[in-house]
Amino acid sequence: MAAKIVLGLLCGLALGFVLQRGRFCVVGAYRDVILVKDNRMFIAVLIAIAVQSIGVYALAGLGLIQLSEVPFTWLGATLGGFIFGLGIVLAGGCATGTWYRAGEGLLGSWIALFAYMLGTVATKWGVLKPASDALTGQKSEDVFIYTTLGISPWVLVALFAVLVGLIVWRHLRQPSFAVPTLKRRKTGLAHLLFEKRWHPFVTALIVGVIAIAAWPMSEATGRMFGLGITTPSGNLLRYITTGDIKFLDWAVFLVIGIALGSYVAAKGSGEFRWRLPDIKTIRNNFFGGLFMGFGASIAGGCTIGNGLVNTSLFTWQGWVATLFIILGTWVATYFVIIRGKRKANSGAAPSQSVAV
Amino acid sequence: MKKHLQVIGMVCPFPLVEAESAIRELAPGQELIIDFDCTQATESLPRWAVKNGHQVVSFEQTDDAQWQITIRKGAAG
């Protein structure tokens, strides 16, 4: 138990800290591609996947970690991914995003998080289990994309790394513009850790390294997988409501660590405050959280489990689910944000603004 | 004329969405003052402003997890 607690919290603290300081937001990455035509954060997510895929296949090649086979349940991956994508827009954050915003003191994220846990438990082990069983019953024989193609995993790892490298190079070659930053008040390490803006690509590299380190840390405690958010979020609620310590694994301490790490980062940078959104946002956060729990449970993972880890393993499940999470994000962004914006613009001036 | 936008309590991306529609009602050279408390907007608001040809006149932290940014509308926007 001590190893689970120490290794899980350690990994979570590091991840939560980095996510908060780097403003690393996967739903924002998907959403902003269509909302503000900005794909910098999307490229950052690709970097994290590429880094992790190199590290994980290197560790597996050296026999240091064992890769688990993730079955391809195509109906669950497509439908679940899509519903999860709708959910994260409503909840205002993906799985890790919700955990780290809870650490920043956003009460809306606490509500989303609770609904996410509830949706997960209901789908995986509760009243919605029959629906989940029906949707995930259709399994394909193919697990890894490279075994279907009959090639070595390294072909895909290398191709993907080169592709991401090219995209990054093209992006960095664009003429840059100076974005004004806040006045500098700290020096040295304090400035670097608690004040400086982190470039999303640097953040992504660190997230990739943490995602690699998660594998041996988790496997040392007997859990044969890398980062995961949905199942442990559900297990935390199961532990709280039953008191049964069998639900406490490495990943439960990982998610607790994410909230704590984000709290430390936010507190240290003067960015922590309990904040309450308006009623409409709270409603969206709650239903978004339920959608997230249901969607991620039948898709076999969230933006981390599928979007970051299963993609880096080059499993069908990972890439198909991620594609449908992105689609869900775009559909929800269109209906909730873009159309709402048009409606507001055609009416009177927004009520929040006053001339001074 | 200056316009003041209060988006305290709004989570991303809504501060940015509100800023976009608010700045549309201004003439070039006029300023938009935004009070916000969404941490991620400390990155997205100045980036959006500069990318769209506006000028950031001032940007400061006013309290724990609370910021104010003043944006002068550019000629193109």
Side-chain angles (χ1 to χ4, degrees):
Chain A
M1 183 55 85
K4 288 180 192 173
I5 298 175
V6 173
L7 293 176
L9 283 180
L10 199 66
C11 193
L13 279 168
L15 187 61
F17 190 96
V18 170
L19 293 172
Q20 201 280 338
R21 294 312 301 148
R23 284 85 167 96
F24 197 84
C25 174
V26 182
V27 59
Y30 296 167
R31 184 190 64 207
D32 290 350
V33 171
I34 63 161
L35 184 64
V36 283
K37 313 274 183 289
D38 190 340
N39 45 26
R40 193 175 59 146
M41 202 47 110
F42 191 81
I43 299 172
V45 173
L46 297 179
I47 294 174
I49 297 172
V51 169
Q52 192 190 184
S53 75
I54 296 168
V56 165
Y57 276 102
L59 289 180
L62 293 169
L64 295 172
I65 57 167
Q66 219 179 305
L67 302 182
S68 32
E69 301 214 334
V70 186
F72 179 36
T73 55
W74 58 270
L75 193 57
T78 51
L79 189 70
F82 187 78
I83 292 173
F84 180 80
L86 300 176
I88 53 179
V89 172
L90 290 172
C94 64
T96 40
T98 304
W99 271 103
Y100 90 73
R101 285 187 182 80
E104 286 182 336
L106 265 70
L107 290 165
S109 293
W110 283 79
I111 291 162
L113 199 54
F114 174 71
Y116 171 48
M117 291 176 177
L118 186 66
T120 302
V121 175
T123 311
K124 280 183 185 268
W125 305 286
V127 69
L128 293 172
K129 193 174 182 297
S132 164
D133 288 344
L135 290 167
T136 56
Q138 312 256 13
K139 285 193 179 73
S140 159
E141 299 283 299
D142 297 295
V143 172
F144 297 103
I145 298 174
Y146 52 82
T147 45
T148 309
L149 299 175
I151 52 176
S152 151
W154 283 102
V155 176
L156 291 183
V157 173
L159 275 177
F160 188 68
V162 169
L163 180 72
V164 174
L166 280 174
I167 296 173
V168 169
W169 180 69
R170 255 195 60 179
H171 184 86
L172 293 177
R173 241 180 30 148
Q174 284 168 7
S176 62
F177 39 83
V179 176
T181 51
L182 292 162
K183 214 177 291 149
R184 185 173 168 160
R185 289 179 185 158
K186 298 183 171 85
T187 52
L189 196 61
H191 170 70
L192 205 63
L193 290 179
F194 293 107
E195 191 173 52
K196 194 183 183 319
R197 278 178 63 239
W198 293 16
H199 193 287
F201 293 179
V202 175
T203 308
L205 280 176
I206 307 174
V207 170
V209 171
I210 295 173
I212 298 168
W215 283 87
M217 284 172 127
S218 170
E219 297 199 348
T221 69
R223 179 183 168 277
M224 309 312 275
F225 201 67
L227 293 177
I229 309 294
T230 305
T231 306
S233 298
N235 276 335
L236 181 58
L237 184 63
R238 290 211 287 173
Y239 169 69
I240 293 169
T241 49
T242 63
D244 190 337
I245 61 159
K246 76 164 189 254
F247 296 125
L248 293 177
D249 66 356
W250 176 87
V252 171
F253 294 102
L254 170 83
V255 293
I256 296 171
I258 291 174
L260 292 176
S262 161
Y263 170 75
V264 170
K267 192 78 187 165
S269 341
E271 294 177 350
F272 177 86
R273 192 161 49 85
W274 292 108
R275 281 164 274 184
L276 189 66
D278 60 291
I279 290 176
K280 206 177 125 203
T281 307
I282 293 176
R283 179 201 67 193
N284 285 352
N285 287 169
F286 181 77
F287 287 104
L290 286 181
F291 278 25
M292 282 167 70
F294 178 74
S297 297
I298 60 170
C302 57
T303 28
I304 296 298
N306 270 325
L308 196 63
V309 182
N310 282 333
T311 45
S312 79
L313 296 177
F314 293 102
T315 61
W316 287 106
Q317 183 77 7
W319 282 97
V320 171
T322 302
L323 194 71
F324 278 84
I325 292 173
I326 295 175
L327 278 178
T329 310
W330 287 353
V331 168
T333 300
Y334 179 76
F335 283 104
V336 179
I337 304 170
I338 299 179
R339 269 190 38 169
K341 195 162 81 171
R342 282 198 198 130
K343 231 181 274 168
N345 286 340
S346 61
S351 58
Q352 292 86 355
S353 54
V354 285
V356 290
Chain B
M1 192 195 102
K2 284 183 184 178
K3 193 180 173 109
H4 204 138
L5 186 65
Q6 272 290 357
V7 286
I8 300 280
M10 270 194 203
V11 287
C12 290
F14 293 102
L16 183 59
V17 170
E18 291 295 330
E20 265 187 328
S21 61
I23 210 155
R24 213 168 285 142
E25 293 161 31
L26 296 181
Q30 292 183 332
E31 289 179 2
L32 178 66
I33 304 167
I34 309 166
D35 280 304
F36 63 97
D37 64 357
C38 172
T39 317
Q40 289 73 36
T42 58
E43 178 79 18
S44 63
L45 277 177
R47 191 174 152 78
W48 158 80
V50 175
K51 240 187 130 177
N52 287 278
H54 310 303
Q55 188 196 344
V56 175
V57 180
S58 74
F59 181 23
E60 53 195 312
Q61 183 157 7
T62 47
D63 200 349
D64 271 357
Q66 209 158 303
W67 297 268
Q68 187 179 70
I69 189 168
T70 305
I71 297 168
R72 185 178 294 140
K73 184 167 177 168

